[in-house]
Amino acid sequence: MKLLYNGPGKDWSQGLPLGNGRLGAVLHGGAGHETWNMTEITFWSGKSERFGGAPNAKEKLAQMREAFFRGDYAEGDKLAKETLQPKKGNFGTNLSLCDVLITYAHEGEGLMRELDLETAVASISYRGQDAVPIQREYFASHADGVVAARIAGERKGKVSFTLRLQGRTDTFAAWNEEDGESIGFRAQATESIHSDGTCGVMAQGLARVAIEGGKLLSEDGQLTVEGADAAVIYFAVATDFGRENDDGWLKESREKVEAATTLGFEKLKESHVADYRSLYGRVSLGLDSPAELAELPTDVRIRRLRSGQTGDLALIALFYQYGRYLTIAGSREDSPLPLNLQGIWNDGEANRMAWSCDYHLDVNTQMNYYPTEISNLAECHVPLMNYIERLAEAGRAAATDFYGADGWVAHVFSNAWGFASPGWETSWGLNVTGGLWIAMHMKEHYEYGLDRQFLTRQAYPVMKQAALFFLDYMTVHPKYGWLVTGPSNSPENSFFPGAPEDGAQQLSMGTTMDQMLVHDLFVFCLEAAEQLQIDAEFRAQLRAAIRLLPPLMIGKRGQLQEWLEDYEEAQPEHRHFSHLYGLYPGSQIDPKQTPELAEAIRNTLLGRMQQGELEDIEFTAALFATGFSRLHDGDRAASHVRHLIGELCFDNLLSYSKPGVAGAETNIFVIDGNFGGTAAIADMLLQSHAGVIHLLPALPQDWASGSYRGLRAKGGIEVDAAWESGRLSGAVIKAYQACEVSVRYGSQTVQMVLEAGKSRRLDHGLNVRDIAAKRD
């Protein structure tokens, strides 16, 4: 479980990512010089703002809907633009903080770079001056809040370098500290593409060098090490995000660096590894693969896969564990914000164009957390839960301003302060269920852990307020009598309401994605309120509303309809197919329970694949993989995972979006492909929707033998499994609490009664026996 490279990392796309849930670093370079691209999750330009809608919002909404209901889509779109397309000023973006630039006195030979996923420690080794071996080690400690590195030679006096900091914003300033061994810095997150260039989060930090032997010089904004036996670098930063009236943050970075220096590198590393392994060590995955392939450099393995060589299944397992590594590195229980478009890292490309490094709520942020629960990292989901709670608070204003409605709403994207208004353009920005889509992660977090306190304190209050919005906002379709949303879009697709020559539209009433989400919202709130024995009147409203929701429908091409009407797609090659939600991560569509709808969505996926101009980007590949996994087509799912790794990842295995798609000017790092691919791999091995634990539901033919340990199923359950020659050889089901479950493998199903803290073993025939092992 290592990323390995021969030679230097020439740029960011070949760098090694580290993170502690708040502070990130991408390390690239070689023997003579290296760069640490430093990022911090709260270092955002912009500020919190409120944008007023129309004082007569409900009346305006009624006028739009009347136009859509009579088939005048152009008029409806025009009215929507007048009311639901407000001007905005300081949305902002997450920015890179600074670069740590290190220039070494000597070049070297035989350089090897490595990132060990089992310890979250990166290393570089080479032969330096006089062929003396030099070793560098790096890690980002969540336990102690610093990034640390140690450079040492096998002989004394062979470590010499100069360190300086370079800002990524115009407001960056650095200085030599009086202690003679540190550089302090201060910066403000300012830029003028996504904000007015004057507002943003303040940061203050410290870089310190501690040496063994030799000399340390501090001058001209630099630290220079001469002839040391070894040197340790400590880096920390704090921001005023959420603490504008508290100046205690100004001392935090110094306190962390001083505490780390006192502790020393080895003890710091020991606490870091123990903290990291407490999460990473819960899950293992092995796929039978030639051992010699795992010894090849990672970039070579990616190129082998790209050329069509498929035997390196260990690369699939590596990619899966890399996704778990990135989750732990980027999203810890105490992280102040969740993973954004680029996790907690930043290649700078999204910031310099209209994209923004933000929270896209039409699949990207959701996909960041798709693998979290099944991959046994529930604590890493917590920052998103907290963010959704804050987004719901901010979304109350949006519900009032734009719709005159109760509850809360958010649309296509958000920022560090919970931006909830419609997007810049109604064509793509009027995704009225964007906030609901991300809030569904609360439902998933609860279903896996069954934490009643979480349900009572966070999930139900937030989801109830979302339900109150949709109960107030939705309207009865005059033709069908169904309760529908609208105007909204099916992110970010378009359709022909009439003849193609009359033009394409994006806004309509009652999109399929909306109705899937609202259905799941209402059912979850109803079941939660019944479990908690509260809100009887609200429950009655939900029951009545559920009966009025539109059914999922199959179109004339045998596809699952994306809109309420069977429109023709204006862009059938589009990268988004949001109505896949009902299959994955939702469960309204299932091959066993709803075979006709499952076949319709298979036709949808196959139809999209057959488009020669398919917008081939990272999250689309992941959606294909998860979709075919849920359809139990493991071979097709695996082919899309291979495509994602081989064609849509940089040399450092971070996923990207190709130029030409959605305005991208170059390959832009977007981390959702890493997490979507990780989720797909896990889903092929274990599914637990529709009330059944399904073992090896989509096992590809070429994953003939393997095993996994520690994957989670809904209902507070953990699963281990092994298989040989494509057949299950055994499984262990562990319960966190007493329950009765159905377990399926192939055409066989068995009912199991589980005691809390106990495990039961299944053989290949699903015969059950007790075992003594208990969950730790």
Side-chain angles (χ1 to χ4, degrees):
M1 291 295 117
K2 294 180 180 180
L3 276 64
L4 300 169
Y5 303 91
N6 292 332
K10 65 180 181 180
D11 56 23
W12 192 97
S13 69
Q14 294 185 333
L16 303 178
L18 302 174
N20 68 1
R22 179 168 192 154
L23 181 60
V26 175
L27 317 175
H28 58 89
H33 67 275
E34 69 183 12
T35 299
W36 305 1
N37 174 233
M38 306 304 299
T39 50
E40 202 278 344
I41 189 64
T42 67
F43 193 64
W44 268 77
S45 63
K47 62 183 180 181
S48 177
E49 293 181 323
R50 181 172 182 175
F51 307 95
N56 51 346
K58 280 190 177 291
E59 180 182 335
K60 293 287 186 181
L61 191 60
Q63 293 173 4
M64 293 175 225
R65 288 169 167 175
E66 183 180 346
F68 285 113
F69 285 142
R70 69 171 180 265
D72 193 343
Y73 291 87
E75 176 65 12
D77 184 71
K78 173 178 173 291
L79 293 172
K81 282 179 166 56
E82 292 172 358
T83 305
L84 301 175
Q85 192 170 286
K87 294 181 179 180
K88 308 166 189 68
N90 289 292
F91 178 82
T93 181
N94 185 243
L95 293 169
S96 294
L97 179 66
C98 67
D99 291 333
V100 178
L101 304 175
I102 306 173
T103 303
Y104 292 89
H106 306 284
E107 289 289 344
E109 296 181 345
L111 186 138
M112 298 280 294
R113 296 182 301 127
E114 174 184 301
L115 175 59
D116 187 339
L117 301 187
E118 296 188 6
T119 61
V121 174
S123 63
I124 294 177
S125 60
Y126 59 95
R127 297 185 303 278
Q129 185 187 21
D130 302 326
V132 173
I134 302 292
Q135 180 78 15
R136 308 178 198 162
E137 284 190 299
Y138 317 78
F139 59 85
S141 169
H142 170 260
D144 294 284
V146 298
V147 172
R150 186 175 188 269
I151 304 100
E154 283 196 7
R155 282 167 40 192
K156 293 184 177 182
K158 295 300 181 180
V159 176
S160 299
F161 63 85
T162 297
L163 180 149
R164 64 186 178 91
L165 305 182
Q166 179 175 286
R168 287 295 190 103
T169 69
D170 294 337
T171 57
F172 186 88
W175 58 88
N176 293 90
E177 292 279 340
E178 293 181 1
D179 61 16
E181 56 188 15
S182 305
I183 297 176
F185 67 91
R186 179 174 291 185
Q188 185 177 15
T190 55
E191 48 77 43
S192 55
I193 297 176
H194 311 284
S195 60
D196 64 10
T198 67
C199 53
V201 170
M202 297 293 302
Q204 184 159 304
L206 194 72
R208 176 174 292 176
V209 175
I211 62 172
E212 301 170 22
K215 293 194 301 185
L216 176 61
L217 307 176
S218 177
E219 58 184 2
D220 300 327
Q222 298 185 153
L223 298 173
T224 302
V225 175
E226 296 180 352
D229 305 334
V232 179
I233 302 168
Y234 302 99
F235 183 100
V237 69
T239 76
D240 71 346
F241 178 77
R243 300 178 62 179
E244 292 81 357
N245 299 317
D246 170 18
D247 62 2
W249 66 274
L250 293 167
K251 305 174 184 177
E252 282 186 11
S253 56
R254 179 176 298 277
E255 291 171 350
K256 288 178 180 178
V257 166
E258 288 179 350
T261 305
T262 300
L263 194 62
F265 184 83
E266 291 303 326
K267 289 185 177 179
L268 196 72
K269 179 182 172 183
E270 183 180 339
S271 63
H272 154 69
V273 172
D275 172 73
Y276 170 76
R277 279 183 169 165
S278 68
L279 294 171
Y280 179 86
R282 295 172 179 174
V283 172
S284 64
L285 171 62
L287 298 175
D288 191 20
S289 182
E292 61 270 17
L293 295 179
E295 302 300 321
L296 294 174
T298 304
D299 52 340
V300 174
R301 298 170 74 182
I302 295 171
R303 287 194 292 274
R304 287 184 78 259
L305 187 61
R306 188 176 301 148
S307 69
Q309 299 180 67
T310 59
D312 190 0
L313 297 182
L315 182 59
I316 305 295
L318 179 71
F319 186 80
Y320 171 76
Q321 290 287 35
Y322 190 46
R324 295 185 69 246
Y325 165 83
L326 293 169
T327 298
I328 300 167
S331 186
R332 298 300 292 268
E333 193 166 7
D334 57 356
S335 296
L337 287 171
L339 297 156
N340 61 40
L341 190 70
Q342 298 186 317
I344 63 168
W345 302 276
N346 198 319
D347 66 354
E349 295 297 333
N351 295 338
R352 66 179 182 84
M353 56 180 284
W355 274 30
S356 176
C357 186
D358 58 29
Y359 297 104
H360 283 48
L361 304 183
D362 58 356
V363 76
N364 310 93
T365 305
Q366 288 88 339
M367 187 174 285
N368 285 352
Y369 288 92
Y370 278 175
T372 307
E373 296 291 338
I374 190 173
S375 296
N376 215 334
L377 296 173
E379 297 91 333
C380 297
H381 219 165
V382 170
L384 185 64
M385 301 301 106
N386 296 337
Y387 180 79
I388 294 166
E389 189 173 33
R390 296 194 299 270
L391 180 64
E393 286 300 315
R396 290 175 183 270
T400 300
D401 292 345
F402 296 100
Y403 305 106
D406 293 335
W408 71 275
V409 66
H411 295 78
V412 74
F413 50 64
S414 190
N415 62 13
W417 297 276
F419 180 94
S421 299
W424 270 250
E425 297 287 341
T426 56
S427 59
W428 50 263
L430 200 56
N431 175 23
V432 76
T433 54
L436 173 54
W437 191 352
I438 197 71
M440 283 299 167
H441 279 266
M442 286 188 153
K443 173 179 179 286
E444 177 160 302
H445 187 59
Y446 173 71
E447 289 175 342
Y448 271 90
L450 300 183
D451 183 340
R452 189 179 179 92
Q453 183 179 0
F454 167 73
L455 177 67
T456 304
R457 185 180 61 83
Q458 274 188 306
Y460 180 71
V462 168
M463 301 294 264
K464 177 183 176 181
Q465 289 299 316
L468 289 174
F469 169 79
F470 284 100
L471 287 171
D472 190 357
Y473 159 81
M474 294 172 76
T475 189
V476 174
H477 196 293
K479 179 180 178 181
Y480 300 112
W482 294 330
L483 194 61
V484 296
T485 60
S488 69
N489 60 28
S490 184
E492 299 172 14
N493 215 341
S494 54
F495 61 91
F496 294 122
E501 55 267 25
D502 294 334
Q505 298 291 335
Q506 287 189 293
L507 296 183
S508 70
M509 301 295 294
T511 63
T512 300
M513 174 63 169
D514 284 5
Q515 69 194 51
M516 287 175 168
L517 286 166
V518 171
H519 173 274
D520 279 4
L521 169 69
F522 287 177
V523 170
F524 175 80
C525 286
L526 177 59
E527 292 177 350
E530 289 174 344
Q531 179 181 341
L532 299 173
Q533 288 297 295
I534 56 175
D535 295 337
E537 183 179 345
F538 176 54
R539 281 184 271 163
Q541 287 181 282
L542 291 172
R543 290 190 192 95
I546 290 169
R547 288 193 292 268
L548 292 177
L549 293 177
L552 299 178
M553 293 179 287
I554 299 172
K556 57 181 175 292
R557 291 178 286 108
Q559 89 287 6
L560 183 71
Q561 283 185 202
E562 189 166 353
W563 296 276
L564 196 67
E565 306 289 346
D566 192 9
Y567 301 124
E568 181 182 349
E569 289 178 280
Q571 197 178 351
E573 74 281 2
H574 201 274
R575 63 194 176 278
H576 280 271
F577 30 108
S578 56
H579 55 314
L580 179 67
Y581 172 87
L583 180 71
Y584 184 96
S587 58
Q588 294 177 44
I589 300 174
D590 176 79
K592 190 174 181 66
Q593 304 295 325
T594 59
E596 296 85 3
L597 290 173
E599 185 61 24
I601 209 162
R602 180 186 295 275
N603 291 336
T604 299
L605 292 170
L606 292 175
R608 192 66 56 93
M609 285 173 58
Q610 292 165 4
Q611 300 299 319
E613 300 298 319
L614 175 68
E615 293 183 323
D616 180 27
I617 64 173
E618 82 299 333
F619 76 77
T620 302
L623 288 174
F624 276 124
T626 54
F628 282 117
S629 174
R630 285 293 167 92
L631 293 173
H632 305 161
D633 189 340
D635 291 337
R636 279 203 172 95
S639 72
H640 288 287
V641 170
R642 292 194 298 269
H643 178 76
L644 172 63
I645 298 171
E647 300 288 344
L648 297 168
C649 284
F650 293 119
D651 286 347
N652 59 8
L653 268 181
L654 292 175
S655 62
Y656 63 79
S657 180
K658 288 181 177 179
V661 179
E665 300 166 8
T666 185
N667 291 338
I668 296 179
F669 165 50
V670 182
I671 202 168
D672 53 18
N674 288 97
F675 298 123
T678 297
I681 293 166
D683 196 75
M684 292 155 72
L685 301 174
L686 178 68
Q687 295 176 13
S688 59
H689 56 283
V692 177
I693 295 175
H694 197 167
L695 303 174
L696 308 181
L699 188 69
Q701 291 186 54
D702 63 343
W703 296 13
S705 299
S707 65
Y708 63 79
R709 173 185 56 81
L711 293 184
R712 291 180 77 221
K714 293 179 180 178
I717 292 169
E718 195 173 293
V719 180
D720 306 340
W723 63 98
E724 295 178 7
S725 302
R727 291 183 57 81
L728 180 73
S729 54
V732 175
I733 313 295
K734 310 172 186 177
Y736 288 75
Q737 52 191 289
C739 61
E740 183 175 350
V741 297
S742 295
V743 180
R744 180 190 306 162
Y745 170 66
S747 60
Q748 302 169 291
T749 302
V750 63
Q751 294 295 120
M752 297 179 65
V753 177
L754 298 168
E755 298 179 43
K758 297 273 184 84
S759 302
R760 305 196 82 184
R761 186 181 299 278
L762 298 169
D763 63 18
H764 63 276
L766 294 194
N767 297 305
V768 182
R769 67 183 179 87
D770 293 326
I771 57 177
K774 294 185 179 181
R775 182 176 62 85
D776 292 337

